[in-house]
Amino acid sequence: MMEAVLDRPETMARALQGDADSFSNLIQPLLDPAYRLAAVMLNDRTAGEDAVQEAAIKAWRKLRQLRGDMQSLRPWFMSIVANECRMARRRRWFSVVKMPDVEPARFDERSPEAIADLQVAVARLKPDERLPLVLYFYLDMPLEEVARALHVSPAAAKARIYRAAHKLRADLTLEEVT
Amino acid sequence: LSRESFRKDLQRALDQMTGSPSSSLSDRVRSAVDQAPEERAPMWIAGAAAVLVAAIVIGLLVIGNPFKPPTVGVGPGPTPSARPSPSPSPTPSVQFDCVDQTQRFGPQAPPTAFITAVRTGTHAGYDRITFEFKDTLPGIVELHPQSNARFTHDASGQMETIAGTFGLRIVFRGADEHSNYSGATDFKSSYADLKEAKAFGDFEGVVTWGVGLAKPACFHVSTLTNPARLVIDLQNS
């Protein structure tokens, strides 16, 4: 789906000329991963959808920043979604909850309890730790795109992914992560 | 193998957390983008537009010749409007009102409209506050301009002064803010007119918001659908 859009520079050209429909078509394939990112970052499905909607409006207004670079569309849009999630978290400060401590797992576990523990462990990560993890492992974005979305170098992105993953699974090594 | 098993576990865990986006998300985004005001014109276009507007204004002044003595008509003239005329609008198509207003969206509206989101923003000529509702708009919306930014909390009766010199009290009748809304209930901003918007009541189907303003409230109300939204634009120039 993503590749199909990347092959349509004329859609980007029309969007840059102010065609809202073309812009909506352009980001359509990104809405599902954007929602998943926002829902994990906010730990709230409804708030995740709201964040995606707001991010889409901001992306539409800032589309010229992309300078027609289709290859950067996905990391660029994901960084806007992540930023919108940051703002949404600031607005709902009162919803911060204390999660119970969970020891990092040390071996391959797939029981429902282990999955539930993993969810709690993800929720306990700081947002800046959660973001690279979600982009890389959950949304399967290549390291270079994760780096662009985080506005850091690939080496720094790799380190952040490793640090976050290590908190969830202590026996992972840097080489295994990327 | 370890990395792949970790990826699979994580994907399974996060899939359970997120579920799938609702089927309406795509339409929501499309509708929001369609209605989003564009702010992407380069500065030279804004400059050219300003020059053009100035030329038109000067042309109208020359043609209208305001220094010419007015012609006194004979017989009954047009009935003056009872409503005070609004100050000049930055967007000619928008008419801002500066007096109490009640908008009715019933009677087909169901008894309760659930607020799901509240947003504020600023644009050329106006600041905006948007209330988004789950299914439909409330039956009645009242807008009461006031000469201060002092509002009463519905439940306690306590008075509170928020940022701003003037105010606008917004009352939704047949609405609910506590069931589907967990967002902010106090927005502070440095916009030209809208300084603060704060929830002051959510009791027995009546939701009240107070808006603190830099100048007397002149506003324009509009509605949007899919999702249902009430948009209040506050003239800021």
Side-chain angles (χ1 to χ4, degrees):
Chain A
M1 190 69 174
M2 189 62 199
E3 285 70 20
V5 171
L6 292 176
D7 289 338
R8 291 162 56 195
E10 70 276 8
T11 309
M12 171 68 90
R14 282 199 299 272
L16 280 169
Q17 286 164 5
D19 182 357
D21 264 357
S22 293
F23 176 75
S24 296
N25 292 337
L26 208 57
I27 61 164
Q28 174 67 33
L30 303 178
L31 295 183
D32 184 275
Y35 159 76
R36 291 177 190 282
L37 170 63
V40 174
M41 294 302 291
L42 296 171
N43 204 10
D44 182 325
R45 298 179 184 190
T46 306
E49 293 198 352
D50 288 346
V52 171
Q53 181 177 332
E54 290 301 316
I57 293 171
K58 286 182 180 160
W60 168 230
R61 289 175 179 162
K62 296 177 179 176
L63 187 60
R64 281 178 191 276
Q65 288 180 352
L66 254 189
R67 300 175 188 275
D69 180 6
M70 289 295 297
Q71 299 297 331
S72 296
L73 178 64
R74 181 163 66 167
W76 175 75
F77 185 60
M78 292 303 164
S79 72
I80 294 175
V81 172
N83 199 42
E84 191 56 37
C85 292
R86 276 187 208 106
M87 293 174 68
R89 270 198 312 275
R90 280 188 207 127
R91 286 194 291 263
R92 46 173 212 154
W93 56 271
F94 52 84
S95 65
V96 174
V97 291
K98 178 75 179 161
M99 305 299 289
D101 286 345
V102 175
E103 285 295 313
R106 293 201 166 272
F107 47 85
D108 186 19
E109 297 168 303
R110 297 210 179 150
S111 66
E113 293 77 17
I115 294 296
D117 282 350
L118 197 52
Q119 288 171 349
V120 173
V122 169
R124 287 196 72 244
L125 290 176
K126 291 174 190 164
D128 286 345
E129 295 170 330
R130 215 181 302 171
L131 178 59
L133 201 72
V134 173
L135 294 175
Y136 185 71
F137 282 111
Y138 189 39
L139 303 184
D140 279 331
M141 283 171 60
L143 187 61
E144 290 72 25
E145 285 194 24
V146 174
R148 266 187 273 177
L150 298 177
H151 305 294
V152 297
S153 68
K158 185 175 177 178
R160 288 189 192 186
I161 294 166
Y162 167 68
R163 278 199 297 269
H166 190 73
K167 284 197 173 181
L168 301 186
R169 182 155 290 179
D171 54 348
L172 275 183
T173 64
L174 181 62
E175 289 69 32
E176 282 175 331
V177 167
T178 53
Chain B
L1 185 63
S2 179
R3 170 187 156 177
E4 280 315 303
S5 70
F6 176 66
R7 183 188 293 272
K8 280 180 189 167
D9 283 358
L10 192 60
Q11 287 182 341
R12 194 173 147 202
L14 297 185
D15 272 342
Q16 285 177 12
M17 276 174 78
T18 65
S20 294
S22 66
S23 56
S24 63
L25 177 62
S26 176
D27 289 338
R28 264 181 73 178
V29 167
R30 191 171 286 272
S31 169
V33 167
D34 275 344
Q35 289 154 8
E38 286 189 53
E39 292 178 354
R40 302 184 301 114
M43 287 304 289
W44 69 266
I45 293 182
V51 170
L52 185 63
V53 169
I56 291 171
V57 169
I58 291 169
L60 288 173
L61 286 173
V62 169
I63 293 167
N65 192 2
F67 301 109
K68 185 178 166 186
T71 306
V72 178
V74 178
T79 309
S81 167
R83 175 170 282 187
S85 61
S87 49
S89 164
T91 45
S93 59
V94 176
Q95 181 87 3
F96 288 95
D97 287 305
C98 311
V99 294
D100 269 31
Q101 215 180 84
T102 298
Q103 302 254 351
R104 289 177 189 278
F105 300 102
Q108 74 279 9
T112 305
F114 295 95
I115 291 177
T116 57
V118 181
R119 291 184 286 274
T120 60
T122 187
H123 307 273
Y126 60 93
D127 297 336
R128 172 172 284 184
I129 180 164
T130 304
F131 295 90
E132 188 172 311
F133 297 88
K134 187 179 173 191
D135 296 313
T136 188
L137 294 166
I140 294 175
V141 178
E142 297 171 11
L143 296 151
H144 305 288
Q146 52 187 61
S147 58
N148 55 51
R150 196 167 164 78
F151 299 92
T152 308
H153 284 275
D154 272 358
S156 64
Q158 277 191 320
M159 300 290 287
E160 183 183 345
T161 302
I162 62 175
T165 312
F166 297 87
L168 177 67
R169 190 162 56 91
I170 305 167
V171 181
F172 301 110
R173 298 195 183 277
D176 173 318
E177 193 172 70
H178 55 271
S179 300
N180 289 75
Y181 180 61
S182 58
T185 53
D186 189 2
F187 295 83
K188 288 180 177 153
S189 79
S190 54
Y191 301 153
D193 192 31
L194 194 161
K195 297 300 177 189
E196 185 172 359
K198 183 169 184 175
F200 275 86
D202 177 15
F203 184 60
E204 292 187 337
V206 179
V207 173
T208 307
W209 277 70
V211 182
L213 302 168
K215 63 183 193 61
C218 290
F219 51 87
H220 173 261
V221 184
S222 57
T223 60
L224 298 168
T225 54
N226 195 23
R229 277 160 292 167
L230 182 87
V231 179
I232 301 168
D233 292 336
L234 298 146
Q235 193 174 19
N236 66 10
S237 60

